[in-house]
Amino acid sequence: MPALRSAEWWSKGDYYSFARRAWLRSEGFGDDIFAGKPIIGICNSWSELNNCNAHLRTVAEAVKRGVWAAGGVPLEFPTISLGEMFLRPTAMLFRNLMAMDVEESIRGNPIDGVVLLCGCDKTTPAQLMGAASADLPAIVVTGGPMLSGQWKMRRLGSGTDGRQLFDLYRTNRLTPEEWCEVEAGLARSPGHCTVMGTASTMACLAEAMGMTLPGCAAIPAVDSRRLLMAEHSGRRAVQMVLEDLRPSRIITRDALENAITACMALGGSTNAVVHLLALAGRLGIDLALSEFDVISRRTPYLANIKPSGQFLMEEFFAAGGVSALLQELLPLLHAGALTVTGKTLAENIAGAVCHDRDVIRPAAAPLHSEGGIAILGGNLAPGGAVIKQTAASPALLTHTGPAHVFESYQQMLDGVDNENLPVTSDTVLVLKNAGPKGGPGMPEWGHIPMPKALLRQGINDVVRISDARMSGTSFGTVVLHIAPESAAGGPLAAVRTGDSITLDVPNRRIEVNLPPEELARRLSAFTPPASPYTRGYGRLYWEHVNQAHQGCDFDFLRRNP
Ligand code: FES
């Protein structure tokens, strides 16, 4: 057994060792907890301000049972929690703050290993990033998806169906009473959103990269099997300390490529691109945005889950979950990648069976021959941009039309409900100043609600482009993460209403049809916005955040390759 790190806190024979033992015993522990037992931190992002993680205290109790049973000592600690629905101006602004909280809480305390409890969108990547930087043995237990929503005889996917029904309500096709019923039935339990949004995606990718026990991601939040999974994870955390199995041995380039492959086959959230780039940066792995496209082109889209498909996470779980999906993808994966079990990915999923071929398609009969996400280039996005092609209208994937520009989010909000907005089905809606700095925090504004004037004509989708992100639960022909962003002087800043824009997904282009000299002339007049922050975390963020194609991490938190 390796020397325990925690022993440095209480085994030196000096006054402070005595004092630390005495202070910890004030919680009622006996002195046997200092007798060479691994101390397992339980890093809990529980919060009543984050409904998706509101059950994690119960999950933590199950983890503790496992840790005790395996001969370790569990010590639970809180971190900030990022509730996607509540946090202003946007949870993404604080992902790096949470990652720093996680990293320093692990590093600064008498911990030998850690179990990471997460769920809502940003909490999983923040914990992965922090744990990767601290690099002590770590295992993830995600909180699981909430129960499927219910309204009349309809099953609802939080986010995705809520948005669709809101469009009916705002155009008077649902009554206020019906809208009230939808509100009551949309989110019926704790747990993260139950479509393949960012939270489900990141949970599945944590499993695909080997950071959870097999089968963890898809178990519903309130299913008793999640508590069993948590207990097993607690037991395993103790063994990982004894084996000195750290994130740097698990989250390798191969593991990240496995996660990207899984993301493409899942029709996963575009936000995963940003988070995986940031995670790679924490480990000194030089992962480029363009590599996502290489993997996407060779990976079939298989998971028939909203918003790209038909089903919800409960059906994905019943069909076999991530293990069944990975089994289908095995020829495209690095099968020998090490995982938290101490075994390889291939060993973990041996014998996994798919129970419903409508939910997880066979690789030979995919829903789409390519992965869910395409990476675009072109004169509007020299650093790249992303589109979830499987959630887009096929007819719009190749499209040229006139731009209608919103210079800000507020201008967009003021415009979309204007019945006289001069837009047609050909229009390309453009939103500026919504990127990492422009938002600030790169909010999920990129979906851009469909203008009322178009909805009334029965037009439910037009091309929309921005430097923002989009909720993983959203859908439509939406180009996101344009880099560099407009607030940093990227070419998007030069686009004006009436300019011709071309989207060409098969050829991976997003272009403004202007001569290069005109684009350069307009950009030469660009003036960067002033920082909205003079102090505090906002100022740190503004001064150090990277662009989307670099993962939006802080420059000083990346590790050199
Ligand atoms: Fe937390 Fe959707 S709001 S996962």
Side-chain angles (χ1 to χ4, degrees), residues 104-285:
E104 303 304 341
S105 293
I106 295 172
R107 183 181 290 125
N109 278 299
I111 287 172
D112 300 301
V114 65
V115 180
L116 305 163
L117 302 189
C118 48
C120 195
D121 289 16
K122 307 301 176 293
T123 57
T124 303
Q127 288 192 338
L128 282 168
M129 289 161 67
S133 292
D135 203 27
L136 292 182
I139 186 169
V140 172
V141 180
T142 50
M146 63 174 70
L147 293 176
S148 305
Q150 215 169 37
W151 177 56
K152 297 180 176 171
M153 291 306 288
R154 206 172 144 175
R155 283 162 74 75
L156 301 180
S158 47
T160 304
D161 288 303
R163 279 189 176 80
Q164 268 168 349
L165 292 170
F166 182 58
D167 280 345
L168 296 183
Y169 174 64
R170 63 196 268 258
T171 49
N172 301 323
R173 286 176 282 176
L174 280 189
T175 66
E177 291 74 26
E178 286 176 314
W179 187 232
C180 213
E181 289 168 11
V182 172
E183 179 183 306
L186 189 61
R188 295 164 54 228
S189 79
H192 59 71
C193 290
T194 183
V195 298
M196 192 51 69
T198 305
S200 297
T201 302
M202 290 309 299
C204 293
L205 301 197
E207 185 172 333
M209 73 175 72
M211 284 297 290
T212 74
L213 291 182
C216 179
I219 305 171
V222 295
D223 191 307
S224 58
R225 286 166 285 187
R226 177 151 297 284
L227 299 182
L228 186 61
M229 176 62 69
E231 182 176 327
H232 282 309
S233 301
R235 287 174 187 263
R236 183 61 200 149
V238 176
Q239 295 304 316
M240 288 174 71
V241 171
L242 304 183
E243 295 164 17
D244 199 26
L245 185 49
R246 297 166 184 256
S248 54
R249 291 176 58 199
I250 297 171
I251 311 174
T252 58
R253 168 171 272 281
D254 282 358
L256 289 170
E257 289 182 3
N258 285 345
I260 297 170
T261 302
C263 184
M264 297 306 167
L266 286 163
S269 166
T270 46
N271 288 321
V273 176
V274 176
H275 299 319
L276 291 177
L277 288 167
L279 182 58
R282 291 302 182 100
L283 291 152
I285 298 168

Side-chain angles (χ1 to χ4, degrees), residues 7-22:
E8 290 173 26
W9 270 258
W10 32 70
S11 299
K12 284 187 175 167
D14 59 355
Y15 170 77
Y16 285 106
S17 295
F18 148 78
R20 290 178 193 123
R21 292 195 304 270

Side-chain angles (χ1 to χ4, degrees), residues 376 380 403-404 406 428-432 446-448 462-468 477-482 492 495 501-503 510-512:
L376 309 177
L380 261 184
H404 183 92
F406 300 112
V428 175
L429 298 176
V430 178
L431 174 63
K432 297 183 187 175
H447 180 240
I448 310 179
V462 293
V463 174
R464 292 161 261 182
I465 72 172
S466 76
D467 44 17
T477 311
V478 183
V479 176
L480 304 151
H481 307 191
I482 286 179
L492 187 66
V495 176
I501 306 272
T502 293
L503 171 65
I510 179 73
E511 306 264 2
V512 57

